Amino acid sequence: MQDLNKLQKAFNEKFTDTGLAKGTFSAPGRVNLIGEHTDYNEGFVLPIAIEKKIIMLGQLRRDRLVQIFDLGYKVEAKFSLDNLSPYKKDTWVNYLMGAMDEMQKAGYPLQGANLIFISDIPKGAGLSSSAALEVVTALTMAKLNSLEIEPAKMARLCQQAENNFVGVACGIMDQYVSCLGRKNYALFIDCRSNNYELIPFKNYNYQIVICNSRIQRGLVDSEYNRRREECKIAAEFFTHRLGSKIRALRDVTIEEFKRYEEHLPETIARRARHVISENYRVQTGAQALREGNFSAFGQLMIESHRSLKDDYQVSCAELDLLVDLALKQQGVLGARMTGAGFGGCTVNLIEKNYINCFKKNIKNEYKKNTGINPDIYITLPAEGAKVLEFMK
Ligand code: GLA
């Protein structure tokens, strides 16, 4: 509520009322419980939307101009919908501009708007603040322009914005869960068909706790794109050996992998082993969650981390430290890095009674080893992007 009042006040100071459609919208960040680097291999993921979000207040204009104010960082931008191309400086604008460009390219007619937003999702922490910004922009522009866009379609447009405007060849997971997350549910997504299943996650003795290493690696984008390339090479190898039934690494079984493993260059074999085994872990994990078998789920999280560290090689010393420390604490069922890697956060599954103790110990130990104060967030699965208020 406080944020809403702040936004409204700043909006009135910055912009003059156009008398046109006006509304406030929000989109959450996410944490992935399991299924890392599987989405762009047409595999499975199991994220939740988190209680941290971006709120955007917008009003339609009579012309084709877009004016944006980021209330958190106190920066602004102005551009025309007739002239959209990525910024080299002020790259934060690309998330918004990219979403608008993809909407227009998909044939949705847009009019200009005045926009202001505020975020409590930490930036560069692997909790998808960028996807949230794309999604909240797309939702705001859609509603102000009276366009009905299905959430899965909106997610796809936002993913394309990131691919084409920001230059990261990301998969669909982040934008999808930011659009379709549901309070008290984890979202099991098949990234080939885009079908999803909501798996209940509430009223249990366990809670999701996120630890932010506060490490940000510049490498993440280039390494991410390189992993994607390596997976493509692996998939092509298996198509060559096993025929056209292999369209992506998603189609290769663990047995098939083992049969051909020695013919692959070592790095490519490692990448493929991670993706193929991770897909199996997500499906097994989804079943464990359906049955409320949290200890089985926790075990899979631990295996996932090992695979990301040793085979996919996207972890870093600080994330490994957070996982090692977590696994020494009482009441912890599972811990792993989450998101693209090279810094950012870990996700932990913990018995509720032990959370305070966990927080205290992790803060002390991580600080002692690295000199950094980690941030720790406790979250339940939250609601996806939504309209907070809207006046036509
Ligand atoms: C980033 C990407 C996602 C996904 C994860 C890794 O968050 O945006 O599409 O690939 O990394 O699982």
Side-chain angles (χ1 to χ4, degrees), residues 30 32 35-40 128 170-174 224 339-340:
R30 66 97 188 90
N32 190 16
E36 222 62 82
H37 291 277
T38 44
D39 60 353
Y40 52 83
S128 292
C170 70
I172 188 72
M173 168 169 70
D174 307 343
Y224 186 94

Side-chain angles (χ1 to χ4, degrees), residues 45-254:
V45 292
L46 188 58
I48 61 170
I50 58 175
E51 285 157 346
K52 293 186 176 296
K53 57 186 175 302
I54 301 182
I55 304 178
M56 182 175 275
L57 169 59
Q59 185 171 37
L60 213 56
R61 296 170 59 113
R62 287 177 203 281
D63 54 20
R64 304 264 303 150
L65 291 182
V66 174
Q67 224 178 319
I68 313 167
F69 184 56
D70 174 347
L71 187 55
Y73 285 82
K74 305 273 185 292
V75 283
E76 49 197 309
K78 189 173 179 179
F79 54 83
S80 161
L81 286 168
D82 296 319
N83 182 20
L84 302 182
S85 63
Y87 279 15
K88 297 230 163 44
K89 250 178 72 195
D90 294 333
T91 46
W92 64 273
V93 181
N94 293 334
Y95 299 99
L96 298 104
M97 212 196 245
M100 296 178 201
D101 191 45
E102 293 300 332
M103 289 171 83
Q104 294 201 126
K105 280 201 264 176
Y108 295 108
L110 298 182
Q111 226 173 290
N114 293 327
L115 307 171
I116 181 166
F117 66 92
I118 190 161
S119 171
D120 67 354
I121 311 171
K123 256 201 203 169
L127 299 177
S128 292
S129 61
S130 47
L133 187 50
E134 290 148 9
V135 169
V136 79
T137 302
L139 180 65
T140 304
M141 292 305 278
K143 292 292 173 192
L144 295 182
N145 284 281
S146 306
L147 302 166
E148 280 312 317
I149 306 179
E150 276 187 19
K153 168 97 193 197
M154 191 173 281
R156 180 67 69 196
L157 292 173
C158 291
Q159 178 203 11
Q160 282 160 3
E162 181 119 1
N163 294 169
N164 298 331
F165 249 71
V166 183
V168 179
C170 70
I172 188 72
M173 168 169 70
D174 307 343
Q175 291 80 4
Y176 203 91
V177 66
S178 186
C179 285
L180 278 149
R182 184 80 59 80
K183 192 168 178 201
N184 295 327
Y185 288 89
L187 197 64
F188 176 52
I189 312 169
D190 177 334
C191 300
R192 168 169 284 164
S193 65
N194 279 349
N195 288 339
Y196 66 91
E197 175 192 343
L198 291 162
I199 303 184
F201 193 103
K202 70 165 201 181
N203 288 341
Y204 293 117
N205 283 329
Y206 305 101
Q207 189 113 29
I208 298 297
V209 178
I210 301 167
C211 298
N212 186 351
S213 69
R214 304 198 40 225
I215 297 287
Q216 287 185 25
R217 295 276 153 88
L219 274 182
V220 57
D221 292 356
S222 57
E223 287 294 326
Y224 186 94
N225 289 346
R226 182 186 312 182
R227 294 296 179 287
R228 240 193 123 130
E229 279 303 309
E230 290 164 343
C231 289
K232 204 168 142 225
I233 294 172
E236 278 164 8
F237 168 89
F238 283 104
T239 311
H240 185 66
R241 296 289 167 122
L242 298 168
S244 59
K245 68 164 187 172
I246 310 292
R247 285 161 47 201
L249 281 181
R250 135 81 172 269
D251 301 308
V252 182
T253 65
I254 293 179

Side-chain angles (χ1 to χ4, degrees), residues 36 88 135 249 261-262 268 289 358 369:
E36 222 62 82
K88 297 230 163 44
V135 169
L249 281 181
E261 177 179 5
E262 59 181 319
I268 305 293
L289 266 198
F358 174 89
N369 281 279

